[in-house]
Amino acid sequence: MKRFLFALTALAVVACSTAPKMSQEEKEAFKFADKLIEKMTLQEKLGQLQQFVTKKGDVTGPDGVKRNLDEAIRQGTVGSFLSIRSKEEMLRLQKIAIEESRLGIPLIFGFDIIHGCRIQFPENLGASCSWDMEALEHAARIAAEETTSLGIHWTFSPMCDISADPRWGRVSEGAGEDPYLGAKVAAAIVRGYQGDDLASDNTIAACVKHFAAYGAPQAGRDYHTVDMSEMMFRDRYLPPYKAALEAGAATVMSSFNDFMGIPASGNKWLMHTLLREELGFTGFVVSDYNAVHEQVKHGTAADGKDAACQAMNAHLNMDMVYGDYITHGEALVKEGKVSEKTINQLCREVLAVKYRLGLFDDPFKYGRQNHEDVAYRPENLQFAREVAAKSMVLLSNNGVLPLKNVKKIAVVGPLADAPRDQIGAWISFGEADHSVTTLSAIKERYGAPNVIYAKGSDFHKPIKGGIEEAVRAAKQADVVLLSLGLPYTEGGEATSLTEITVPEAQQALLDAVKKSGKRVVVLLGTGRAMDVRNEVEKADAVLVTWHGGTMEGPAIADLVSGDKNPSGHLTMSFPYCVGQCPVHYNMKITGRPRNNPQHDKKYLSRYMHTPNEPLFPFGYGLSYTEFEYSDLQVLTPEVELGGVVKISVKVTNKGKYDGDDVAQLYIRDLVAETTRPMRELKGFERFSLKAGESKVVTFEVPTSDLAYCHRDLSFKADAGAFKVWVGEDSNATLEGDFTIK
Ligand code: GLC
């Protein structure tokens, strides 16, 4: 009995520990919503819980039901639309809602603004490699300004899914493998979208997705099962969602996957107990696309009605597209399977977000501004160029970069002049004809007569005569910039791969160009980490350019010319090979670590013919200069629980180039109640240093940041001994010790 009581107490501690207090603005919104709900019919309340895609006139939904959506708006049986590209169409539909429906409740329009609206910033995995939170916030701000001028109120972003498995194509949308960094990135993006006032006409509602743990699908296969302990979830996957909510995100999206055996969209522990009771979320949850109905496919719901019943009772507010909510809602209430109280709660949370967006006050405020005045502003394009440059990661360089005494440059490869591919997946309102490609940017930087172009090959297929043309170009040049990698169609949703090497046709191109005897710089365009052993071995330098966005080309020109110094650091490990996946720096040490003196070489946690470590670790990134980390000082060797650990380190720019670096602080909890990662990022600082300059970087780590999930699921820090390392990647060797008393 005692154990049971103890467990209950512990859960009570967990449950009430982090729920933020409701703001005055939210209280006012709910007051308004509750008054409105008193006037609403059940059908109208259900309408607020239904989101559709729209086409003109009658639309047959995935449920096979034909609906005239203009009429549905008049009847109040739809409250939201997604993915409408036309501002005029959104205004037309809003007009019907305001003027022709009984209560004039405004519609909310959502769209996938993932890494920019018109201007495409690097895909999020790449942008996160800038480790520049201000830049990420500003990029989201720019996206919000462009988005609102199109009449859109709400984005399905940030994607906060931690993932360490590059077989899963959606790693391109997130911030990589680390919970601490992922949390900082998620919060920065929410701040950028929502600003200080959700009601202003240039801020949009954010959406924390995909709740939850969608980034851990079995075998890296999209939509696959996610099964993990609550402990693992709370330690590794929850932090970015939590940080985005604490930053004030107005909405959440449920994920496609099942989680601990229950599809997220019908998972009451996720959507209510954790999200509402423990984390204090007061906004609304929209399902992912048809995900309410997909409980039937998962085999946990008998039919659409059962699916709607489970999702509603799990506290999922809005059914994206399928239609089970509006189709079955009334019967579910009449049969007592879903209470009207539940419907009122689901409805008031949707109405409150609409209220906070200012849509009741002025339903046409968004889109009043002329989109042409906002889109593609020169200063924002310049900023996108800077973000892209900061995001690119130099993996290897034998001195060929920055290019020196170079007259003729051969620009080769399927990504060299690929305006659509360079802006990646999920481009919302991005336009390939606004992309500045590598080819055009190198011509601009070095003069067109000095640049010879050859595509060389397609992504997966050779081009007839392509290799010969590429070799001819190489022979005429002093150096070859070889743009290899993956097309935009091999990143983002439903793009799982079992091979993560550069496709063979492109490897053949590299071999042929290499044989020309000219120096080769590989520019790797990708939305995911890859196995780049071949390129690193054969090329003189490898620069990961990601799918760098609209201004990818000029950013590449800035870096290869030395006008700018590379400063990106990986937020996702690059595996030695796909067989290691998922591989990440913060794995646990096991009872038989490879350096275990008690055992001979065999009985250890290792592979027989392959290293445990990735080819390039989390945090890794080269520069044209060299940063030396020295004199690590543990300023607080002993800290009380609740105090702050202070660590300083000296950094010197030993080279001849000015440059930026990212000082990273890692800890290890040496003896804990549960097994802890070998290392955990607990601090970072991006800084600039001129050649020869030094500075002291000081980290302050509150002991609360050292909290972890205990055996009773309480989340807290312990007293005990810790190791600390500081350096420029997760293999940092400069170390110290401290104790929490
Ligand atoms: C998609 C994605 C989700 C997106 C939604 C709306 O299937 O999973 O990330 O926001 O549908 O397009």
Side-chain angles (χ1 to χ4, degrees), residues 64-129:
V65 175
K66 185 184 281 192
R67 298 179 178 94
N68 178 302
L69 292 170
D70 288 9
E71 197 42 39
I73 297 171
R74 290 187 189 96
Q75 298 304 318
T77 56
V78 57
S80 173
F81 289 95
L82 77 150
S83 309
I84 300 180
R85 305 192 70 85
S86 149
K87 178 165 157 175
E88 293 63 37
E89 178 60 3
M90 280 184 272
L91 293 176
R92 184 185 74 80
L93 296 173
Q94 192 70 290
K95 210 163 170 313
I96 296 172
I98 300 303
E99 296 172 3
E100 300 176 36
S101 75
R102 193 175 74 86
L103 292 168
I105 298 173
L107 299 166
I108 181 171
F109 297 117
F111 210 101
D112 289 286
I113 307 295
I114 306 299
H115 51 100
C117 179
R118 286 293 182 197
I119 296 176
Q120 294 301 300
F121 291 93
E123 284 183 312
N124 301 67
L125 180 62
S128 71
C129 292

Side-chain angles (χ1 to χ4, degrees), residues 165 211 226 241 324 718:
D165 195 335
F211 200 65
V226 169
Y241 302 122
D324 285 332
D718 293 334

Side-chain angles (χ1 to χ4, degrees), residues 284-532:
F284 72 81
V285 179
V286 63
S287 75
D288 204 338
Y289 206 101
N290 290 339
V292 166
H293 193 77
E294 286 181 5
Q295 294 174 86
V296 179
K297 279 280 183 291
H298 276 289
T300 52
D303 52 28
K305 187 175 176 184
D306 184 13
C309 181
Q310 291 190 51
M312 285 174 169
N313 286 323
H315 207 152
L316 187 143
N317 302 76
M318 191 182 281
D319 172 16
M320 181 186 280
V321 176
Y322 195 84
D324 285 332
Y325 270 29
I326 197 65
T327 303
H328 302 294
E330 202 144 0
L332 288 167
V333 171
K334 288 204 170 37
E335 293 162 19
K337 291 179 180 157
V338 176
S339 70
E340 182 129 19
K341 186 165 172 282
T342 297
I343 298 297
N344 289 347
Q345 182 61 25
L346 297 175
C347 181
R348 69 195 290 268
E349 287 159 347
V350 173
L351 294 174
V353 171
K354 291 184 174 184
Y355 180 88
R356 290 172 58 206
L357 279 164
L359 290 173
F360 282 98
D361 179 44
D362 178 359
F364 300 99
K365 66 192 301 180
Y366 295 90
R368 202 165 279 141
Q369 196 175 16
N370 185 341
H371 179 61
E372 285 60 44
D373 296 341
V374 181
Y376 296 119
R377 283 191 175 136
E379 67 273 20
N380 293 339
L381 284 166
Q382 176 55 30
F383 179 72
R385 174 175 182 164
E386 288 160 16
V387 174
K390 284 178 177 177
S391 305
M392 295 179 182
V393 181
L394 185 61
L395 296 183
S396 62
N397 178 24
N398 65 8
V400 65
L401 292 179
L403 300 179
K404 297 175 282 301
N405 319 318
V406 155
K407 193 97 183 66
K408 290 265 187 204
I409 298 178
V411 176
V412 176
L415 274 168
D417 189 23
R420 176 62 194 85
D421 293 294
Q422 73 183 60
I423 52 180
W426 289 112
I427 61 166
S428 70
F429 293 86
E431 297 162 294
D433 60 6
H434 279 72
S435 295
V436 185
T437 66
T438 302
L439 177 60
S440 54
I442 295 298
K443 282 181 176 173
E444 170 73 20
R445 177 67 179 70
Y446 287 92
N450 300 317
V451 178
I452 312 130
Y453 169 66
K455 186 173 183 183
S457 86
D458 274 331
F459 287 104
H460 288 279
K461 287 197 303 297
I463 296 174
K464 193 167 172 355
I467 282 195
E468 293 76 5
E469 188 195 10
V471 170
R472 279 195 301 276
K475 284 183 173 160
Q476 296 170 55
D478 303 316
V479 70
V480 182
L481 298 180
L482 184 54
S483 294
L484 305 177
L486 298 176
Y488 80 92
T489 51
E490 294 185 26
E493 187 170 356
T495 62
S496 297
L497 297 173
T498 55
E499 278 309 328
I500 53 171
T501 49
V502 169
E504 273 168 35
Q506 297 178 62
Q507 292 195 19
L509 181 60
L510 169 55
D511 291 343
V513 164
K514 174 119 184 92
K515 270 204 203 89
S516 73
K518 298 298 171 73
R519 293 169 301 161
V520 180
V521 174
V522 163
L523 303 171
L524 182 72
T526 174
R528 69 179 82 206
M530 297 179 77
D531 166 358
V532 292

Side-chain angles (χ1 to χ4, degrees), residues 148-167:
T148 47
S149 68
L150 284 169
I152 296 167
H153 315 127
W154 171 32
T155 176
F156 305 127
S157 168
M159 187 271 217
C160 305
D161 305 322
I162 290 288
S163 183
D165 195 335
R167 293 175 296 179

Side-chain angles (χ1 to χ4, degrees), residues 423-706:
I423 52 180
W426 289 112
I427 61 166
S428 70
F429 293 86
E431 297 162 294
D433 60 6
H434 279 72
S435 295
V436 185
T437 66
T438 302
L439 177 60
S440 54
I442 295 298
K443 282 181 176 173
E444 170 73 20
R445 177 67 179 70
Y446 287 92
N450 300 317
V451 178
I452 312 130
Y453 169 66
K455 186 173 183 183
S457 86
D458 274 331
F459 287 104
H460 288 279
K461 287 197 303 297
I463 296 174
K464 193 167 172 355
I467 282 195
E468 293 76 5
E469 188 195 10
V471 170
R472 279 195 301 276
K475 284 183 173 160
Q476 296 170 55
D478 303 316
V479 70
V480 182
L481 298 180
L482 184 54
S483 294
L484 305 177
L486 298 176
Y488 80 92
T489 51
E490 294 185 26
E493 187 170 356
T495 62
S496 297
L497 297 173
T498 55
E499 278 309 328
I500 53 171
T501 49
V502 169
E504 273 168 35
Q506 297 178 62
Q507 292 195 19
L509 181 60
L510 169 55
D511 291 343
V513 164
K514 174 119 184 92
K515 270 204 203 89
S516 73
K518 298 298 171 73
R519 293 169 301 161
V520 180
V521 174
V522 163
L523 303 171
L524 182 72
T526 174
R528 69 179 82 206
M530 297 179 77
D531 166 358
V532 292
R533 280 175 291 162
N534 178 57
E535 289 67 40
V536 169
E537 182 203 330
K538 292 175 183 167
D540 297 281
V542 177
L543 176 71
V544 184
T545 59
W546 305 109
H547 288 143
T550 306
M551 298 299 280
E552 176 184 84
I556 289 172
D558 291 342
L559 293 178
V560 300
S561 64
D563 295 348
K564 283 187 183 150
N565 189 348
S567 58
H569 288 256
L570 295 177
T571 57
M572 180 170 203
S573 307
F574 269 51
Y576 179 85
C577 64
V578 71
Q580 286 184 329
C581 292
V583 60
H584 46 97
Y585 86 95
N586 40 10
M587 296 185 116
K588 303 204 172 172
I589 195 160
T590 78
R592 292 198 172 190
R594 251 201 348 208
N595 56 358
N596 185 335
Q598 275 120 18
H599 278 279
D600 66 14
K601 292 261 171 292
K602 180 172 180 178
Y603 299 97
L604 300 172
S605 182
R606 64 185 183 83
Y607 301 102
M608 291 186 75
H609 310 301
T610 306
N612 287 6
E613 294 73 24
L615 190 63
F616 294 106
F618 175 84
Y620 178 90
L622 296 179
S623 167
Y624 294 149
T625 191
E626 186 212 332
F627 294 98
E628 180 193 67
Y629 286 72
S630 61
D631 190 21
L632 185 145
Q633 298 283 328
V634 178
L635 306 172
T636 55
E638 286 201 350
V639 183
E640 297 283 335
L641 255 186
V644 176
V645 183
K646 293 196 178 97
I647 309 278
S648 72
V649 72
K650 182 182 173 187
V651 193
T652 305
N653 179 342
K654 307 278 283 181
K656 55 185 185 351
Y657 288 95
D658 299 350
D660 288 10
D661 203 16
V662 179
Q664 302 153 43
L665 179 140
Y666 297 89
I667 61 102
R668 180 158 178 233
D669 191 341
L670 296 178
V671 178
E673 200 182 87
T674 55
T675 51
R676 306 305 308 139
M678 288 187 275
R679 294 192 178 197
E680 295 178 80
L681 180 75
K682 293 297 178 187
F684 62 88
E685 181 176 316
R686 186 185 168 102
F687 61 85
S688 302
L689 271 181
K690 293 199 177 319
E693 262 188 2
S694 290
K695 72 174 286 184
V696 172
V697 176
T698 303
F699 295 95
E700 297 198 350
V701 182
T703 57
S704 54
D705 277 5
L706 306 179

